[in-house]
Amino acid sequence: RALLSVYDKTGLTDFARALHDSGYALVSTGGTQAAIANAGIPVQHVEDLTGFPEILDGRVKSLHPAIYGGILARRDIAEHNAQLAEHGIGTIDVVASNLYPFVDTVSRPDATLIDALENIDIGGPTMIRGAAKNFPHVIVVVDPADYGWIAERLAAGEDLTQDERRSLARKAFQHVALYDTTISQYLGEDALELDETTTLRYGENPHQQAGLYAAPLSSGGIVRAKQLHGIDMSYTNYLDADAAWRVVADFDQPAATVIKHTNPCGLAVHDDQPTAYRHAFEGDSVSAYGGIVAFNSHAHRCDRAGNARRPVRHIIAPAYEEAALDVLRRRRRTRLLEVQPASGPQEGLDVRLVSGGALVQQTDDIAESPADWKVVTEREPTDAELADLTFAWKAAKHIKSNTIVLAKDNTLVGMGAGQPNRVVSVHLALRIAEDKAKGSVLASDAFFPFADNIEMAAAGGITAIAEPGGSIRDDEVIAAANEHNIAMLFTGTRHFRH
């Protein structure tokens, strides 16, 4: 049996016909039942199934044990099946439903509170949630775009996999959650679905209020960090700390980074943690002054790294040795954060609020291998150059576009970020690196549009370059690299970060 009760009737009759042809008995409500019946498809009205008429102008029509028993019963529990038989209730194996147009209604200039309340669906969300809860036994469909492939599978006599059923259930819960959130916001709850963890001292500026919020099902990450020492964190402190943690968490080898204004001004990897820190700090020691330091391994006392003479605002690490804490706690204004890897349903998503809503995308964590890169110049990179290019390419995706990274010996020696054109980023990276640019490699987060970038890099002593490729002037860029005996690889992937 299939229960269909939809407001959006796109594709409804085709789906209903396909279900009927596949042997499903159809049950429906109100306008949905009429649309199916008018198409000449056999369909039972829900009140004929429940034995109880719709009442209160249709406010109560599907809220009945004959409906929800059939949806919620677990087919693998004998007692459930026995109770269904005792009460003459048949199972419902497919539920197709979508909800009243609440957003469309309240968006009308003349919409009243009564209009809004009358467009709050009750039976629909209940059916959807019941079917989604029992997804191992019930197929729940809220999106007409899914009608086609589901109908084809059922027509072929094939069952849906548990992963497919789970995916449909996730979409169903999302559908209801968005609906409920929209109603909540209309009634005055203009807040994200997050739990406030703490009120911060202030936002980006002292006149701005700010708070720290956590996703209810998340664990780890900067939001769940344990502050071991130091004064309270502000909004920008958390932003910088998150940027620092994300950078080092992207490396398998022991890594250390120094962050200023969410950009790494220092970054290095080395089997010896103090060496990694020393290299990271010396990559741009001027910018590193007063920066944020992060490690992806236990922080331990490292006197030979000279850290006692280098003021930092806060330090982030997954754990600290007691000897390190004894030293670091003497710094009254240095914050110490203990952070664990983040997990939760929101991980893997990048969400940014924009006027009127939000932008959501997958995080930039694509798996890449230098073995897939294409050497496009006459000279191939040496093994040392390729190792540095691999490091530089991973570093580039954590720096604001237009990004240019110079690296040598697994150390960031210069970078240009956030510039309106790429040649300025090259200029800044070379200026920061100074003599360290000679013999270093360069990574660019997007293609070089002109050969002037290559000319400037060559003059600075760059020996190898990694960039995505794809410019209409790639041939000119490659020719310039060949002229200066620079090895160039096209990665085929872009890493913009705005």
Side-chain angles (χ1 to χ4, degrees):
R1 181 182 286 117
L3 173 60
L4 297 87
S5 180
V6 299
Y7 179 84
D8 179 2
K9 295 177 176 55
T10 302
L12 170 67
T13 55
D14 288 341
F15 187 52
R17 184 173 286 104
L19 289 173
H20 171 73
D21 292 344
S22 297
Y24 284 81
L26 307 185
V27 181
S28 193
T29 61
T32 306
Q33 190 271 343
I36 296 172
N38 290 338
I41 305 167
V43 57
Q44 183 182 21
H45 199 283
V46 69
E47 68 182 33
D48 295 328
L49 181 67
T50 63
F52 198 92
E54 294 183 9
I55 61 173
L56 305 180
D57 298 321
R59 286 189 172 205
V60 178
K61 50 191 173 187
S62 63
L63 298 172
H64 193 280
I67 298 295
Y68 290 96
I71 292 174
L72 287 166
R74 285 182 53 178
R75 283 60 159 172
D76 57 344
I77 296 180
E79 185 177 352
H80 283 200
N81 292 321
Q83 290 180 21
L84 292 183
E86 178 184 354
H87 297 286
I89 298 173
T91 58
I92 295 175
D93 308 297
V94 175
V95 171
S97 182
N98 51 61
L99 308 176
Y100 294 167
F102 183 83
V103 173
D104 292 344
T105 298
V106 299
S107 296
R108 296 200 313 260
D110 59 345
T112 66
L113 177 61
I114 295 299
D115 294 331
L117 296 179
E118 288 303 312
N119 277 275
I120 295 177
D121 201 327
I122 302 301
T126 308
M127 282 191 291
I128 291 170
R129 288 178 61 85
K133 172 178 177 171
N134 204 23
F135 75 84
H137 307 286
V138 181
I139 299 170
V140 57
V141 195
V142 296
D143 186 354
D146 290 318
Y147 289 169
W149 71 268
I150 294 174
E152 289 178 4
R153 294 285 294 279
L154 298 179
E158 300 173 2
D159 196 5
L160 273 62
T161 68
Q162 285 298 295
D163 284 344
E164 290 168 337
R165 289 169 173 264
R166 185 188 186 99
S167 178
L168 290 170
R170 180 193 59 79
K171 183 181 286 190
F173 278 120
Q174 276 187 331
H175 184 62
V176 175
L178 180 59
Y179 191 77
D180 288 342
T181 300
T182 303
I183 296 170
S184 173
Q185 290 176 341
Y186 171 79
L187 295 176
E189 299 290 337
D190 294 324
L192 294 172
E193 292 300 311
L194 299 171
D195 295 333
E196 184 172 22
T197 301
T198 186
T199 299
L200 303 180
R201 290 187 299 143
Y202 52 81
E204 286 185 286
N205 300 289
H207 61 272
Q208 294 173 268
Q209 295 182 345
L212 181 68
Y213 292 77
L217 298 179
S218 70
S219 63
I222 287 298
V223 167
R224 306 286 188 183
K226 182 179 180 181
Q227 186 167 352
L228 305 179
H229 176 70
I231 61 178
D232 291 342
M233 300 272 285
S234 71
Y235 179 92
T236 51
N237 295 150
Y238 273 106
L239 282 180
D240 285 333
D242 185 58
W245 175 248
R246 286 175 182 269
V247 170
V248 294
D250 204 20
F251 290 88
D252 297 324
Q253 194 175 359
T257 190
V258 184
I259 295 286
K260 289 294 282 290
H261 305 298
T262 72
N263 276 316
C265 60
L267 174 63
V269 297
H270 196 282
D271 289 337
D272 178 62
Q273 186 194 74
T275 300
Y277 171 59
R278 185 174 66 251
H279 288 176
F281 194 95
E282 293 173 351
D284 182 359
S285 57
V286 174
S287 297
Y289 186 90
I292 287 84
V293 174
F295 303 97
N296 63 356
S297 56
H298 284 39
H300 54 272
R301 185 167 179 168
C302 45
D303 293 334
R304 61 193 174 91
N307 62 329
R309 298 187 299 274
R310 295 168 178 170
V312 295
R313 292 188 180 276
H314 41 283
I315 299 172
I316 300 107
Y320 295 80
E321 292 184 353
E322 283 302 320
L325 287 175
D326 289 342
V327 173
L328 296 172
R329 280 175 171 151
R330 298 171 193 168
R331 304 179 180 182
R332 186 178 65 86
R333 298 188 64 83
T334 298
R335 304 169 182 87
L336 305 179
L337 299 181
E338 186 176 276
V339 185
Q340 300 303 318
S343 64
Q346 82 289 347
E347 293 305 314
L349 295 179
D350 181 5
V351 181
R352 299 191 188 189
L353 295 181
V354 294
S355 54
L359 290 170
V360 182
Q361 65 174 353
Q362 293 178 322
T363 53
D364 186 7
D365 59 358
I366 184 174
E368 296 180 84
S369 171
D372 297 327
W373 297 352
K374 180 181 179 182
V375 178
V376 294
T377 50
E378 296 169 359
R379 184 173 78 80
E380 295 197 4
T382 64
D383 290 345
E385 288 172 333
L386 184 59
D388 281 338
L389 287 170
T390 303
F391 167 83
W393 187 246
K394 182 169 285 190
K397 73 177 185 177
H398 294 284
I399 300 173
K400 298 291 180 66
S401 299
N402 290 312
T403 303
I404 295 295
V405 168
L406 305 185
K408 188 175 184 180
D409 298 328
N410 282 331
T411 300
L412 179 69
V413 298
M415 69 93 170
Q419 299 305 309
N421 66 71
R422 201 160 296 277
V423 71
V424 174
S425 289
V426 174
H427 168 74
L428 290 175
L430 291 171
R431 191 178 74 177
I432 291 169
E434 296 181 325
D435 291 341
K436 290 179 289 186
K438 295 178 181 178
S440 68
V441 305
L442 181 153
S444 174
D445 65 347
F447 63 66
F448 285 119
F450 301 101
D452 54 357
N453 295 274
I454 307 302
E455 300 291 343
M456 184 177 292
I462 304 302
T463 64
I465 293 174
E467 59 126 312
S471 168
I472 60 173
R473 296 183 179 85
D474 275 348
D475 290 344
E476 297 175 24
V477 172
I478 294 169
N482 282 327
E483 180 182 349
H484 295 284
N485 197 35
I486 294 175
M488 178 178 285
L489 294 86
F490 283 179
T491 66
T493 305
R494 189 182 75 189
H495 284 300
F496 275 155
R497 181 168 180 263
H498 288 83

